[in-house]
Amino acid sequence: RSTALQPLFKMSYSCSKVGDPRPGQPYKGGKFCAFLPDNREGQKTAMLLKKAFECGLTFQIKSCHGEERVTWGLIPHKTSWDGGKARNGYPDAQYLREVSTVL
């Protein structure tokens, strides 16, 4: 297995905004971890994911059991270094191509 880049996002508690399920209501944050291969294509993808994060496209707020919480948005992330595509992990030969298309 090659060395992995490991982006980490930490989302704090805050209040939702217009366009979220319940604007003005507090939501629960969390720590989110995603993995990319440490190679040229992985580093390029990391830069695109950073831009998506800065534009507010990485996460969304969803209502879960009466509580607002931050969840992953529509951009696919590899949250495990193993387990394959079915478990959001590697190996997944198409992932970098697919996420680049989405980004």
Side-chain angles (χ1 to χ4, degrees), residues 30-68:
K31 291 182 182 179
F32 299 83
C33 194
F35 298 90
L36 293 168
D38 189 7
N39 58 29
R40 186 174 175 193
E41 197 174 359
Q43 291 170 2
K44 179 182 173 186
T45 302
M47 290 174 32
L48 293 173
L49 287 170
K50 181 178 186 236
K51 287 181 184 180
F53 177 78
E54 291 169 350
C55 292
L57 301 173
T58 305
F59 298 99
Q60 59 189 357
I61 298 173
K62 285 190 176 178
S63 186
C64 182
H65 304 292
E67 180 179 64
E68 306 300 310

CSV table of all heavy atoms in Angstrom, one decimal, residues 30-68:
chain,number,residue,atom,x,y,z
A,30,GLY,N,-18.5,17.8,14.0
A,30,GLY,CA,-17.8,16.6,14.1
A,30,GLY,C,-16.5,16.6,13.4
A,30,GLY,O,-16.1,17.6,12.8
A,31,LYS,N,-15.7,15.6,13.5
A,31,LYS,CA,-14.4,15.4,12.8
A,31,LYS,C,-14.6,14.4,11.7
A,31,LYS,O,-15.3,13.4,11.9
A,31,LYS,CB,-13.3,14.9,13.7
A,31,LYS,CG,-12.9,15.9,14.8
A,31,LYS,CD,-11.8,15.3,15.7
A,31,LYS,CE,-11.5,16.3,16.7
A,31,LYS,NZ,-10.4,15.8,17.6
A,32,PHE,N,-14.2,14.8,10.5
A,32,PHE,CA,-14.3,14.0,9.3
A,32,PHE,C,-13.0,13.7,8.7
A,32,PHE,O,-12.2,14.7,8.5
A,32,PHE,CB,-15.2,14.7,8.3
A,32,PHE,CG,-16.6,15.0,8.8
A,32,PHE,CD1,-16.9,16.1,9.6
A,32,PHE,CD2,-17.6,14.1,8.5
A,32,PHE,CE1,-18.2,16.3,10.1
A,32,PHE,CE2,-18.9,14.4,9.0
A,32,PHE,CZ,-19.2,15.5,9.8
A,33,CYS,N,-12.7,12.5,8.4
A,33,CYS,CA,-11.4,12.1,7.8
A,33,CYS,C,-11.6,11.5,6.5
A,33,CYS,O,-12.5,10.7,6.3
A,33,CYS,CB,-10.8,11.2,8.8
A,33,CYS,SG,-9.0,10.9,8.5
A,34,ALA,N,-10.7,11.8,5.5
A,34,ALA,CA,-10.8,11.2,4.2
A,34,ALA,C,-9.4,10.9,3.8
A,34,ALA,O,-8.4,11.5,4.2
A,34,ALA,CB,-11.5,12.2,3.2
A,35,PHE,N,-9.3,9.9,2.9
A,35,PHE,CA,-8.0,9.4,2.5
A,35,PHE,C,-7.8,9.6,1.0
A,35,PHE,O,-8.7,9.3,0.2
A,35,PHE,CB,-7.8,7.9,2.8
A,35,PHE,CG,-7.9,7.7,4.3
A,35,PHE,CD1,-9.1,7.4,4.9
A,35,PHE,CD2,-6.7,7.7,5.1
A,35,PHE,CE1,-9.1,7.2,6.3
A,35,PHE,CE2,-6.8,7.4,6.4
A,35,PHE,CZ,-8.0,7.2,7.0
A,36,LEU,N,-6.6,9.9,0.6
A,36,LEU,CA,-6.2,10.0,-0.8
A,36,LEU,C,-4.8,9.4,-0.9
A,36,LEU,O,-4.0,9.5,0.0
A,36,LEU,CB,-6.1,11.5,-1.3
A,36,LEU,CG,-7.4,12.2,-1.4
A,36,LEU,CD1,-7.1,13.7,-1.5
A,36,LEU,CD2,-8.2,11.7,-2.5
A,37,PRO,N,-4.5,8.8,-2.1
A,37,PRO,CA,-3.1,8.2,-2.2
A,37,PRO,C,-2.1,9.4,-2.4
A,37,PRO,O,-2.4,10.5,-2.9
A,37,PRO,CB,-3.2,7.5,-3.6
A,37,PRO,CG,-4.4,7.9,-4.2
A,37,PRO,CD,-5.3,8.5,-3.2
A,38,ASP,N,-0.9,9.2,-1.8
A,38,ASP,CA,0.1,10.2,-1.9
A,38,ASP,C,0.9,10.1,-3.2
A,38,ASP,O,2.0,9.6,-3.2
A,38,ASP,CB,1.0,10.1,-0.7
A,38,ASP,CG,2.0,11.3,-0.6
A,38,ASP,OD1,1.8,12.3,-1.4
A,38,ASP,OD2,2.9,11.3,0.3
A,39,ASN,N,0.3,10.5,-4.2
A,39,ASN,CA,0.9,10.5,-5.5
A,39,ASN,C,0.4,11.7,-6.3
A,39,ASN,O,-0.3,12.5,-5.7
A,39,ASN,CB,0.6,9.2,-6.3
A,39,ASN,CG,-0.9,9.0,-6.5
A,39,ASN,OD1,-1.7,9.9,-6.6
A,39,ASN,ND2,-1.3,7.7,-6.7
A,40,ARG,N,0.9,11.9,-7.5
A,40,ARG,CA,0.6,13.2,-8.2
A,40,ARG,C,-0.9,13.4,-8.4
A,40,ARG,O,-1.5,14.5,-8.1
A,40,ARG,CB,1.2,13.1,-9.6
A,40,ARG,CG,1.1,14.3,-10.4
A,40,ARG,CD,2.0,14.2,-11.7
A,40,ARG,NE,1.7,15.4,-12.5
A,40,ARG,CZ,2.1,15.4,-13.8
A,40,ARG,NH1,2.8,14.4,-14.3
A,40,ARG,NH2,1.9,16.5,-14.5
A,41,GLU,N,-1.6,12.3,-8.8
A,41,GLU,CA,-3.1,12.4,-9.0
A,41,GLU,C,-3.8,12.7,-7.6
A,41,GLU,O,-4.8,13.5,-7.6
A,41,GLU,CB,-3.6,11.2,-9.6
A,41,GLU,CG,-5.0,11.3,-10.3
A,41,GLU,CD,-5.4,10.1,-11.0
A,41,GLU,OE1,-4.6,9.1,-11.1
A,41,GLU,OE2,-6.5,10.1,-11.6
A,42,GLY,N,-3.4,12.0,-6.6
A,42,GLY,CA,-4.0,12.3,-5.3
A,42,GLY,C,-3.7,13.7,-4.8
A,42,GLY,O,-4.6,14.3,-4.2
A,43,GLN,N,-2.6,14.2,-5.0
A,43,GLN,CA,-2.3,15.6,-4.6
A,43,GLN,C,-3.1,16.6,-5.4
A,43,GLN,O,-3.6,17.6,-4.8
A,43,GLN,CB,-0.8,15.9,-4.7
A,43,GLN,CG,0.0,15.1,-3.7
A,43,GLN,CD,1.5,15.1,-3.9
A,43,GLN,OE1,2.0,15.8,-4.8
A,43,GLN,NE2,2.3,14.4,-3.1
A,44,LYS,N,-3.3,16.3,-6.7
A,44,LYS,CA,-4.1,17.2,-7.5
A,44,LYS,C,-5.6,17.2,-7.0
A,44,LYS,O,-6.2,18.2,-6.8
A,44,LYS,CB,-4.1,16.7,-9.0
A,44,LYS,CG,-4.9,17.6,-9.9
A,44,LYS,CD,-4.9,17.0,-11.3
A,44,LYS,CE,-5.9,17.7,-12.2
A,44,LYS,NZ,-5.9,17.1,-13.5
A,45,THR,N,-6.1,16.0,-6.6
A,45,THR,CA,-7.4,15.8,-6.1
A,45,THR,C,-7.5,16.5,-4.8
A,45,THR,O,-8.5,17.2,-4.5
A,45,THR,CB,-7.8,14.3,-6.0
A,45,THR,OG1,-7.6,13.7,-7.3
A,45,THR,CG2,-9.2,14.1,-5.5
A,46,ALA,N,-6.5,16.5,-3.9
A,46,ALA,CA,-6.5,17.2,-2.6
A,46,ALA,C,-6.7,18.7,-2.8
A,46,ALA,O,-7.4,19.3,-2.1
A,46,ALA,CB,-5.2,16.9,-1.9
A,47,MET,N,-6.0,19.2,-3.8
A,47,MET,CA,-6.2,20.7,-4.1
A,47,MET,C,-7.6,21.0,-4.5
A,47,MET,O,-8.2,22.0,-4.1
A,47,MET,CB,-5.2,21.1,-5.2
A,47,MET,CG,-3.8,21.1,-4.6
A,47,MET,SD,-2.5,21.5,-5.9
A,47,MET,CE,-3.2,22.6,-7.0
A,48,LEU,N,-8.2,20.1,-5.4
A,48,LEU,CA,-9.6,20.4,-5.8
A,48,LEU,C,-10.6,20.2,-4.6
A,48,LEU,O,-11.5,21.0,-4.5
A,48,LEU,CB,-10.0,19.4,-6.9
A,48,LEU,CG,-9.2,19.6,-8.2
A,48,LEU,CD1,-9.6,18.4,-9.2
A,48,LEU,CD2,-9.6,20.9,-8.9
A,49,LEU,N,-10.3,19.2,-3.7
A,49,LEU,CA,-11.2,19.1,-2.5
A,49,LEU,C,-11.1,20.3,-1.6
A,49,LEU,O,-12.0,20.7,-1.0
A,49,LEU,CB,-10.8,17.8,-1.8
A,49,LEU,CG,-11.2,16.5,-2.5
A,49,LEU,CD1,-10.6,15.3,-1.8
A,49,LEU,CD2,-12.7,16.4,-2.5
A,50,LYS,N,-9.9,20.9,-1.5
A,50,LYS,CA,-9.7,22.0,-0.7
A,50,LYS,C,-10.5,23.2,-1.2
A,50,LYS,O,-11.2,23.9,-0.5
A,50,LYS,CB,-8.2,22.4,-0.6
A,50,LYS,CG,-7.9,23.6,0.2
A,50,LYS,CD,-6.4,23.9,0.3
A,50,LYS,CE,-6.3,25.1,1.3
A,50,LYS,NZ,-5.6,26.2,0.8
A,51,LYS,N,-10.5,23.4,-2.5
A,51,LYS,CA,-11.3,24.5,-3.2
A,51,LYS,C,-12.8,24.2,-2.9
A,51,LYS,O,-13.5,25.1,-2.6
A,51,LYS,CB,-11.0,24.5,-4.7
A,51,LYS,CG,-9.7,25.1,-5.0
A,51,LYS,CD,-9.5,25.2,-6.5
A,51,LYS,CE,-8.1,25.8,-6.8
A,51,LYS,NZ,-7.9,25.9,-8.3
A,52,ALA,N,-13.2,23.0,-3.0
A,52,ALA,CA,-14.6,22.6,-2.8
A,52,ALA,C,-15.0,22.9,-1.3
A,52,ALA,O,-16.1,23.5,-1.1
A,52,ALA,CB,-14.9,21.2,-3.1
A,53,PHE,N,-14.1,22.6,-0.4
A,53,PHE,CA,-14.3,22.9,1.0
A,53,PHE,C,-14.5,24.4,1.2
A,53,PHE,O,-15.4,24.9,1.9
A,53,PHE,CB,-13.2,22.4,1.9
A,53,PHE,CG,-13.4,22.7,3.3
A,53,PHE,CD1,-14.3,22.0,4.1
A,53,PHE,CD2,-12.6,23.7,3.9
A,53,PHE,CE1,-14.4,22.3,5.5
A,53,PHE,CE2,-12.7,24.0,5.2
A,53,PHE,CZ,-13.7,23.3,6.0
A,54,GLU,N,-13.6,25.2,0.6
A,54,GLU,CA,-13.6,26.6,0.8
A,54,GLU,C,-14.9,27.3,0.2
A,54,GLU,O,-15.3,28.3,0.6
A,54,GLU,CB,-12.3,27.3,0.1
A,54,GLU,CG,-11.1,26.9,0.9
A,54,GLU,CD,-9.8,27.3,0.1
A,54,GLU,OE1,-9.9,27.6,-1.1
A,54,GLU,OE2,-8.7,27.2,0.8
A,55,CYS,N,-15.5,26.6,-0.8
A,55,CYS,CA,-16.7,27.1,-1.4
A,55,CYS,C,-18.0,26.5,-0.7
A,55,CYS,O,-19.1,26.8,-1.1
A,55,CYS,CB,-16.8,26.7,-2.9
A,55,CYS,SG,-15.5,27.5,-3.9
A,56,GLY,N,-17.8,25.8,0.4
A,56,GLY,CA,-18.9,25.3,1.2
A,56,GLY,C,-19.6,24.1,0.5
A,56,GLY,O,-20.8,23.8,0.8
A,57,LEU,N,-18.9,23.3,-0.3
A,57,LEU,CA,-19.5,22.2,-1.0
A,57,LEU,C,-19.2,20.8,-0.4
A,57,LEU,O,-19.8,19.8,-0.9
A,57,LEU,CB,-19.0,22.2,-2.5
A,57,LEU,CG,-19.3,23.5,-3.3
A,57,LEU,CD1,-18.6,23.5,-4.6
A,57,LEU,CD2,-20.8,23.7,-3.4
A,58,THR,N,-18.4,20.7,0.6
A,58,THR,CA,-17.9,19.5,1.1
A,58,THR,C,-19.0,18.8,2.0
A,58,THR,O,-19.1,17.6,2.1
A,58,THR,CB,-16.6,19.6,1.8
A,58,THR,OG1,-15.7,20.2,0.9
A,58,THR,CG2,-16.1,18.3,2.3
A,59,PHE,N,-19.6,19.7,2.8
A,59,PHE,CA,-20.5,19.2,3.9
A,59,PHE,C,-21.9,19.8,3.7
A,59,PHE,O,-22.1,20.8,3.0
A,59,PHE,CB,-20.0,19.6,5.2
A,59,PHE,CG,-18.7,18.9,5.6
A,59,PHE,CD1,-17.5,19.7,5.4
A,59,PHE,CD2,-18.6,17.6,6.0
A,59,PHE,CE1,-16.3,19.1,5.7
A,59,PHE,CE2,-17.4,17.0,6.3
A,59,PHE,CZ,-16.2,17.8,6.1
A,60,GLN,N,-22.9,19.1,4.3
A,60,GLN,CA,-24.3,19.6,4.3
A,60,GLN,C,-24.8,19.4,5.7
A,60,GLN,O,-24.3,18.6,6.5
A,60,GLN,CB,-25.1,19.0,3.3
A,60,GLN,CG,-25.2,17.5,3.4
A,60,GLN,CD,-25.9,16.9,2.2
A,60,GLN,OE1,-26.3,17.5,1.3
A,60,GLN,NE2,-26.0,15.5,2.1
A,61,ILE,N,-25.9,20.0,6.0
A,61,ILE,CA,-26.6,19.8,7.3
A,61,ILE,C,-27.8,19.0,7.1
A,61,ILE,O,-28.6,19.4,6.2
A,61,ILE,CB,-26.9,21.2,8.0
A,61,ILE,CG1,-25.6,21.9,8.3
A,61,ILE,CG2,-27.7,20.9,9.3
A,61,ILE,CD1,-25.8,23.3,8.8
A,62,LYS,N,-28.0,17.9,7.8
A,62,LYS,CA,-29.2,17.1,7.7
A,62,LYS,C,-29.8,16.9,9.1
A,62,LYS,O,-29.1,17.0,10.1
A,62,LYS,CB,-28.8,15.7,7.2
A,62,LYS,CG,-28.5,15.7,5.7
A,62,LYS,CD,-28.4,14.3,5.2
A,62,LYS,CE,-28.2,14.3,3.7
A,62,LYS,NZ,-28.0,12.9,3.2
A,63,SER,N,-31.1,16.7,9.1
A,63,SER,CA,-31.8,16.4,10.3
A,63,SER,C,-31.8,14.9,10.5
A,63,SER,O,-32.2,14.2,9.6
A,63,SER,CB,-33.3,17.0,10.2
A,63,SER,OG,-33.9,16.8,11.4
A,64,CYS,N,-31.3,14.5,11.7
A,64,CYS,CA,-31.2,13.1,12.0
A,64,CYS,C,-31.8,12.9,13.4
A,64,CYS,O,-31.2,13.4,14.4
A,64,CYS,CB,-29.8,12.7,11.9
A,64,CYS,SG,-29.5,10.9,12.2
A,65,HIS,N,-32.9,12.2,13.5
A,65,HIS,CA,-33.5,11.9,14.8
A,65,HIS,C,-33.8,13.2,15.6
A,65,HIS,O,-33.5,13.3,16.8
A,65,HIS,CB,-32.7,11.0,15.7
A,65,HIS,CG,-32.4,9.7,15.0
A,65,HIS,ND1,-33.4,8.7,14.7
A,65,HIS,CD2,-31.2,9.2,14.5
A,65,HIS,CE1,-32.8,7.7,14.0
A,65,HIS,NE2,-31.5,8.0,13.9
A,66,GLY,N,-34.3,14.2,14.9
A,66,GLY,CA,-34.6,15.5,15.6
A,66,GLY,C,-33.5,16.4,15.9
A,66,GLY,O,-33.6,17.4,16.5
A,67,GLU,N,-32.3,16.0,15.4
A,67,GLU,CA,-31.1,16.8,15.7
A,67,GLU,C,-30.4,17.2,14.4
A,67,GLU,O,-30.3,16.4,13.5
A,67,GLU,CB,-30.1,16.0,16.5
A,67,GLU,CG,-28.9,16.7,16.9
A,67,GLU,CD,-27.9,15.8,17.7
A,67,GLU,OE1,-27.5,14.8,17.3
A,67,GLU,OE2,-27.7,16.2,18.9
A,68,GLU,N,-30.1,18.4,14.2
A,68,GLU,CA,-29.4,18.9,13.0
A,68,GLU,C,-27.9,18.5,13.2
A,68,GLU,O,-27.3,18.7,14.3
A,68,GLU,CB,-29.5,20.4,12.9
A,68,GLU,CG,-30.9,20.9,12.9
A,68,GLU,CD,-31.7,20.4,11.8
A,68,GLU,OE1,-31.3,20.4,10.6
A,68,GLU,OE2,-32.8,19.9,12.0
